[in-house]
Amino acid sequence: MHLLELEDMKASYGGIQALKGINLKIDEGEIVTLIGSNGAGKSTTLKSISGQVKVSGEIHYNGKNIANLPPHITSKLGIAHVPEGRRIFPKLSVKENLLIGGFAISQKKTIEERMERVFQYFPRLKERLDQKGGTMSGGEQQMLAIGRALMSKPSLLMLDEPSMGLAPIIVEQIFEIISELNKGGMTILLVEQNAFQALQVADRGYVIQTGVIVLEGDGKELMDNEQVQEAYLA
């Protein structure tokens, strides 16, 4: 049984069909990347899985059809979504942002343990615990957004454009952390404009164009594919 399986998933915004029948599978412990141009449907796919967009078709997670469940339910089931643009709470401190990520946790000890776990990956957040999120650099805000997602202890972490707007050295750090999280057992679905970086860390990948999956394969196969090279790696 796959951890996540999308079957003929379709989604529309108003009269525009953004997804035209997505079929995608992710096994536990994989990094799977979804690459494509702007407007291809990458972000809509993640929003559909997490329950932010209404869909037709099926979304199976751990064998259960979760299509159209609201985000607070999909989060409790183990899906964490780090949206494009990070979407931290700029007027709240680092600590307060992290606590929001652990909103469903009732035991103080568990909250503290998970926060310490976040600090293992992002020690800079511990140094800036009382700093307002909006005053941090773009790279630090991305770390905070991922850290907030980790507070729910997800079994599937979905990352939407984690490298967007970041300096190359920070991008390298973010992707190193993505690899570390995966080595620790976390399954990751990665949407990324930087196809080269994404395919380097991914076990498998899918290419989406205008709401349709047009190619799939393991990371190396897609990197060696002439069509992918011309469109996304040139």
Side-chain angles (χ1 to χ4, degrees), residues 67-167:
N68 298 314
L69 291 181
H72 71 279
I73 298 298
T74 59
S75 175
K76 288 180 180 179
L77 291 174
I79 298 173
H81 183 184
V82 180
E84 180 182 350
R86 301 178 272 277
R87 307 277 181 88
I88 63 161
F89 295 94
K91 295 183 179 181
L92 300 183
S93 69
V94 168
K95 183 177 181 179
E96 288 167 334
N97 270 275
L98 293 176
L99 289 174
I100 287 172
F103 73 95
I105 307 170
S106 57
Q107 295 184 339
K108 183 179 178 181
K109 182 181 179 182
T110 303
I111 291 174
E112 292 172 350
E113 288 173 349
R114 292 193 186 174
M115 205 171 283
E116 284 301 320
R117 180 72 169 163
V118 169
F119 297 151
Q120 289 177 17
Y121 290 107
F122 304 109
R124 197 175 305 179
L125 296 182
K126 190 170 186 177
E127 298 168 4
R128 289 160 167 72
L129 204 56
D130 296 321
Q131 185 173 338
K132 295 285 191 292
T135 66
M136 302 172 76
S137 69
E140 290 167 343
Q141 289 186 19
Q142 185 63 69
M143 294 175 187
L144 178 55
I146 297 173
R148 181 179 62 189
L150 294 179
M151 286 293 293
S152 65
K153 199 177 181 181
S155 48
L156 174 64
L157 178 64
M158 303 195 301
L159 302 169
D160 194 351
E161 302 287 5
S163 75
M164 182 179 285
L166 303 183

Side-chain angles (χ1 to χ4, degrees), residues 32-53:
V32 172
T33 188
L34 185 62
I35 62 174
S37 58
N38 287 333
K42 304 186 302 294
S43 294
T44 303
T45 299
L46 298 196
K47 290 177 181 177
S48 298
I49 295 167
S50 63
Q52 298 177 49
V53 173

Side-chain angles (χ1 to χ4, degrees), residues 6 8 10 17 24 33 53 59 87-88 94 101-102 138 141 146 158 167 182 197 206:
L6 311 182
D8 195 31
K10 299 174 183 176
Q17 191 169 17
L24 180 151
T33 188
V53 173
I59 304 171
R87 307 277 181 88
I88 63 161
V94 168
Q141 289 186 19
I146 297 173
M158 303 195 301
N182 179 248
Q197 287 279 5
Y206 293 84

